[in-house]
Amino acid sequence: MTGMQKLYLVVPLAPLFGAIAAGLCGWLLSRRAAHAITIAGMLVCLGSAIAVYMDVMAGHHFNGALYTWMVSGNAKFEIGFLIDPLSATMMIVVSFVSLMVHIYTIGYMADDPGYKRFFSYISLFTFSMLMLVMSNNFLQLFFGWEAVGLVSYLLIGFWYARPTAIYANLKAFLVNRVGDFGFLLGIALVLMYFGTLDYATVFANAKNVASNSIEIIPGWGWSLMTVICILLFIGAMGKSAQFPLHVWLPDSMEGPTPISALIHAATMVTAGIFMVARMSPLFELSDTALTFVMTIGAITAFFMALIATVQYDIKRVVAYSTLSQLGYMTMALGASAYSAAIFHLFTHAFFKAVLFLGAGSVIIAMHHEQDMRKMGGLRKYLPITYATMLIGALANAGLPPFAGFFSKDTIIEALHASPLAGAGFAYFLATAGVLVGGFYSFRLMFYAFHGKERFADPNDPDVKACDAERAAQLKAEQEAAKVAAAAKAALDAAKGPQDGHSHGAAEHADHASHAHDAHASHGAHDAHGAHHDSHAHGDHKPHESPWVVTLPLIALAVPSVCAGWIIGSFVFGDYFGKAIFVSEAHPAIATLKAQFHGVIGMMTHGLMSLPFWLAIIGAGTAYYIYIVRPDLPIQLRAKWGVVVTILMEKYGFDRFNDWFFAGGARLLGTGLWKGGDVVVIDGLLVNGSAQSVGLFSTIIRKLQSGYIYNYAFAMIFGILLLLSITLWSLIA
């Protein structure tokens, strides 16, 4: 193993070491030691990733196995690395954003009792993501894929005593199981038809297999490559939260803000985008699969952006923005503009991390209040947070010269240049989404940082509306708890006394109700425990966050401004080399390359383009509604109540998830319990075998009378029976 190959190992193992130290040995470490070890691991990880990146840019690539896990026939199941420009870029993005999140966590989680546990989780999360992006085979890809999911569930449900966190965790688990099942089927088909899980071998033989067909329904043939690609993309729909498997992502806000930034900005949600780009040699062989990918991305980009316009929770606005931006990346993948998709992933990682971490800074300043109706006028109290979030909002809206402009504008133009079916539909929704994106980005800024200081006025209409909603929600939760407690008490009473206690069912019900009431309010806010502040803050004025919070904001704001300026080499140059394959039949990027005249020329052209003016109109509309006419939001919600309700209900997909996925899981579990456990295992195998033995014993016992003449008769009868059988065989 060469020195550089050893460095490849250092990149993922450094955060793994930190995770083990803070997790398994956390009881031996102080808080300071726990964050020092994990941050040191991330510094080593980032430094090593930078060294690897520079080596890759010098033309040194690597593709090889490190360990053979199993051999089955001709198929080898290996652990190995593929180090090329695509994986090296992802290593930089993941490690840099993760390092900033680690530093930020020192301030944000300072008072949390799970401090050391949280540092262990985020380091383990980083290790899992790095193993995913560095893999050279489908086996390791699936390992990283599932490991990222596992740790994300631990992080979403980090405050495991909160009912809302449990619900969000379960939703993320169930929805991603659907996507992962499709993903696993796709990998199984690859192994079945290619006989290997190695990327290089699969890609090299893809054209030979592309002509094969498969019958999912008898008599109805499908292109094998189309089926493989769609199944793999179903996995991406789960991990990258694409319609209709998007419902888990907004609820992941129940986790602490640092992990919201890590999941949304650079890791879990981008895993699917990276995977499709890596699989470009397969997707390029199926126009049907590309059209499917593009259509799903277009629906997600536009319709999730609309939901962001009615959200009041500052983190959920940013979460739905993430869904929309992921839709843009997915559309680019469908248009064969893989480099543009990865470029938007690259720029998005920085400005979306700024928005999430900035939102966390606001939440800290507002004593863990995250409803924007109770904010306003925060600009003068949080100047650094405001400046960095403004940069993030400008980049998110796609305005030049900020990073998001270059990547988003390229995607829209690529859709316009794509000859694939569905490109026109995607172009329309992508362009319309720019208007919506400009509106919700600046709605957040104007609502939270400008205008009246609503947090100091409990009589403000917005504050009153917020308090009324929370009171109604709390009352509904209490009533639901009482109903559940009464049902449990009735069930316990029907079963009779179980524990020997003297207190009755009514006391059980009362206890259950009080227990729920004590925790019901914890789910409404992103808090470190029970110290919410749902009332006006009075003399407790908001103030800027400590340097461990503001420093990552500044560090991430810099690339949010200038990261887009490298578009010439990143998208239109030979940056990715052979890491990404694009068929000559899909000329979108080639067309744009011929029209590209440098960064300045692109910005000049952008100032005259439709998307730019749509973004300006969206921002201007937000200014008029929330600054000039702050009375309008309440009036508009009353006038357009039906539309608002549809958006607040998220088009009914949460209800569909509860009915179909969660309900289906419960139905399956009940069936396995009653049919499998009770009937088959307990009924037939355990109780049935016991009954069979008892019946056999009863019969045998009757034959054992103890009288010699009975045994003699049995012996004589047996001898006669044997002689009869022998004679019959001789005669026959």
Side-chain angles (χ1 to χ4, degrees):
M1 184 177 291
T2 66
M4 187 54 64
Q5 291 173 8
K6 293 178 181 178
L7 199 61
Y8 299 156
L9 282 171
V10 171
V11 175
L13 293 183
L16 179 62
F17 173 80
I20 293 173
L24 299 183
C25 305
W27 60 280
L28 294 172
L29 303 175
S30 65
R31 287 189 164 212
R32 179 172 293 182
H35 75 236
I37 291 174
T38 52
I39 291 175
M42 286 310 309
L43 284 169
V44 172
C45 173
L46 178 60
S48 302
I50 293 172
V52 170
Y53 178 82
M54 294 178 66
D55 185 63
V56 170
M57 291 299 102
H60 303 131
H61 300 175
F62 176 80
N63 182 20
L66 302 177
Y67 172 73
T68 300
W69 179 59
M70 184 177 68
V71 178
S72 178
N74 296 324
K76 290 185 177 180
F77 300 90
E78 299 173 327
I79 303 299
F81 291 150
L82 172 57
I83 309 300
D84 60 11
L86 179 58
S87 56
T89 301
M90 292 296 298
M91 289 159 63
I92 293 288
V93 172
V94 171
S95 55
F96 178 73
V97 174
S98 182
L99 175 61
M100 295 299 104
V101 168
H102 275 72
I103 297 172
Y104 178 94
T105 298
I106 297 174
Y108 191 87
M109 301 292 287
D111 300 325
D112 196 280
Y115 186 84
K116 290 181 282 187
R117 176 166 58 95
F118 188 80
F119 273 98
S120 175
Y121 286 174
I122 57 178
S123 288
L124 187 60
F125 193 95
T126 307
F127 159 75
S128 303
M129 188 64 194
L130 289 168
M131 290 297 290
L132 188 157
V133 301
M134 296 172 68
S135 65
N136 74 337
N137 61 84
F138 286 91
L139 173 67
Q140 188 175 330
L141 174 70
F142 188 72
F143 163 77
W145 196 268
E146 292 302 309
V148 166
L150 171 64
V151 185
S152 72
Y153 308 141
L154 294 174
L155 288 162
I156 294 170
F158 183 78
W159 291 314
Y160 50 81
R162 288 163 45 175
T164 49
I166 297 171
Y167 174 78
N169 204 8
L170 182 60
K171 180 187 284 189
F173 177 81
L174 290 175
V175 175
N176 274 278
R177 293 287 65 75
V178 176
D180 291 353
F181 182 65
F183 188 60
L184 189 59
L185 288 178
I187 293 176
L189 282 178
V190 169
L191 181 61
M192 180 183 298
Y193 284 90
F194 289 88
T196 181
L197 294 177
D198 179 70
Y199 288 165
T201 307
V202 171
F203 297 161
N205 294 289
K207 289 186 178 179
N208 299 329
V209 179
S211 59
N212 291 11
S213 62
I214 183 173
E215 290 189 2
I216 302 175
I217 301 173
W220 190 7
W222 278 69
S223 164
L224 174 64
M225 198 57 62
T226 297
V227 175
I228 290 176
C229 290
I230 289 178
L231 287 173
L232 291 175
F233 181 67
I234 288 174
M237 288 167 64
K239 279 291 184 288
S240 290
Q242 295 296 289
F243 169 88
L245 302 183
H246 64 279
V247 294
W248 68 270
L249 191 62
D251 289 272
S252 68
M253 297 298 95
E254 287 298 327
T257 294
I259 198 55
S260 299
L262 194 56
I263 287 177
H264 290 68
T267 49
M268 186 176 181
V269 294
T270 60
I273 306 300
F274 163 80
M275 185 274 293
V276 175
R278 175 63 80 195
M279 302 300 147
S280 59
L282 303 182
F283 279 84
E284 285 299 288
L285 297 173
S286 175
D287 286 2
T288 303
L290 289 173
T291 296
F292 179 76
V293 170
M294 191 185 331
T295 303
I296 293 295
I299 294 171
T300 305
F302 180 73
F303 289 99
M304 296 305 108
L306 287 178
I307 299 179
T309 64
V310 299
Q311 298 295 312
Y312 288 118
D313 186 313
I314 190 171
K315 283 176 58 177
R316 285 185 178 265
V317 174
V318 186
Y320 280 105
S321 169
T322 301
L323 283 171
S324 180
Q325 299 304 320
L326 284 166
Y328 279 92
M329 300 176 204
T330 305
M331 280 189 286
L333 295 172
S336 295
Y338 304 99
S339 58
I342 298 298
F343 190 50
H344 196 47
L345 184 159
F346 175 75
T347 61
H348 176 265
F350 302 120
F351 67 74
K352 190 51 56 72
V354 165
L355 289 173
F356 267 115
L357 298 185
S361 179
V362 172
I363 292 168
I364 294 173
M366 294 299 297
H367 305 274
H368 303 285
E369 175 61 68
Q370 54 194 68
D371 195 306
M372 295 189 297
R373 289 174 292 185
K374 291 195 171 186
M375 300 178 186
L378 294 177
R379 178 179 56 172
K380 66 179 181 181
Y381 301 105
L382 309 172
I384 299 175
T385 299
Y386 171 75
T388 53
M389 287 195 72
L390 179 60
I391 291 172
L394 289 164
N396 191 73
L399 295 173
F402 300 93
F405 160 75
F406 296 96
S407 53
K408 185 183 286 188
D409 191 72
T410 302
I411 291 172
I412 295 172
E413 292 298 325
L415 293 170
H416 189 259
S418 175
L420 288 168
F425 171 76
Y427 175 75
F428 173 78
L429 290 186
T431 306
V434 174
L435 173 66
V436 184
F439 176 79
Y440 71 66
S441 297
F442 286 92
R443 172 181 178 266
L444 185 153
M445 298 302 300
F446 294 138
Y447 215 10
F449 291 96
H450 294 262
K452 179 182 177 183
E453 297 178 3
R454 294 182 298 277
F455 58 84
D457 184 8
N459 296 317
D460 183 87
D462 278 324
V463 175
K464 285 185 174 182
C466 179
D467 289 338
E469 286 182 12
R470 289 182 180 174
Q473 181 182 4
L474 181 59
K475 184 178 180 180
E477 290 175 349
Q478 292 173 348
E479 291 297 325
K482 290 178 180 179
V483 172
K488 183 179 182 301
L491 182 63
D492 292 342
K495 291 180 178 180
Q498 300 290 325
D499 55 8
H501 290 284
S502 60
H503 52 270
E507 294 178 52
H508 276 293
D510 185 64
H511 174 78
S513 177
H514 281 294
H516 186 89
D517 292 349
H519 296 280
S521 63
H522 291 197
H525 310 291
D526 184 18
H528 303 306
H531 49 282
H532 301 291
D533 201 8
S534 59
H535 51 78
H537 297 285
D539 295 331
H540 300 285
K541 296 292 186 181
H543 56 83
E544 189 61 89
S545 300
W547 70 268
V548 290
V549 173
T550 56
L551 179 62
L553 285 174
I554 297 170
L556 289 163
V558 173
S560 298
V561 176
C562 59
W565 302 350
I566 63 172
I567 186 173
S569 59
F570 201 106
V571 178
F572 302 123
D574 195 33
Y575 180 87
F576 290 107
K578 296 181 179 180
I580 289 176
F581 171 75
V582 181
S583 170
E584 293 181 356
H586 305 143
I589 289 296
T591 302
L592 297 184
K593 181 180 179 180
Q595 301 172 355
F596 180 71
H597 301 293
V599 173
I600 301 300
M602 186 173 179
M603 285 193 291
T604 304
H605 177 267
L607 295 174
M608 298 179 288
S609 66
L610 179 61
F612 171 78
W613 289 106
L614 288 175
I616 294 295
I617 292 171
T621 303
Y623 177 81
Y624 178 79
I625 292 176
Y626 294 98
I627 301 299
V628 180
R629 291 287 306 280
D631 59 307
L632 272 181
I634 295 177
Q635 296 179 26
L636 291 173
R637 288 180 76 88
K639 185 176 182 180
W640 298 95
V642 176
V643 177
V644 173
T645 301
I646 292 173
L647 294 176
M648 292 298 293
E649 289 288 329
K650 309 158 195 173
Y651 311 108
F653 277 99
D654 268 353
R655 295 181 184 271
F656 176 79
N657 171 76
D658 292 340
W659 170 75
F660 187 78
F661 294 127
R666 287 193 297 269
L667 183 63
L668 178 62
T670 302
L672 292 174
W673 165 46
K674 292 185 177 181
D677 190 21
V678 176
V679 176
V680 178
I681 297 176
D682 287 343
L684 294 178
L685 297 181
V686 178
N687 297 332
S689 60
Q691 291 174 0
S692 300
V693 171
L695 179 63
F696 180 75
S697 301
T698 301
I699 297 172
I700 296 297
R701 187 166 55 249
K702 291 181 179 180
L703 297 176
Q704 296 177 340
S705 63
Y707 296 106
I708 295 177
Y709 61 80
N710 286 339
Y711 300 146
F713 175 78
M715 292 174 63
I716 293 170
F717 179 80
I719 292 171
L720 290 174
L721 181 63
L722 289 173
L723 288 173
S724 299
I725 294 172
T726 304
L727 290 173
W728 178 260
S729 62
L730 292 173
I731 295 172

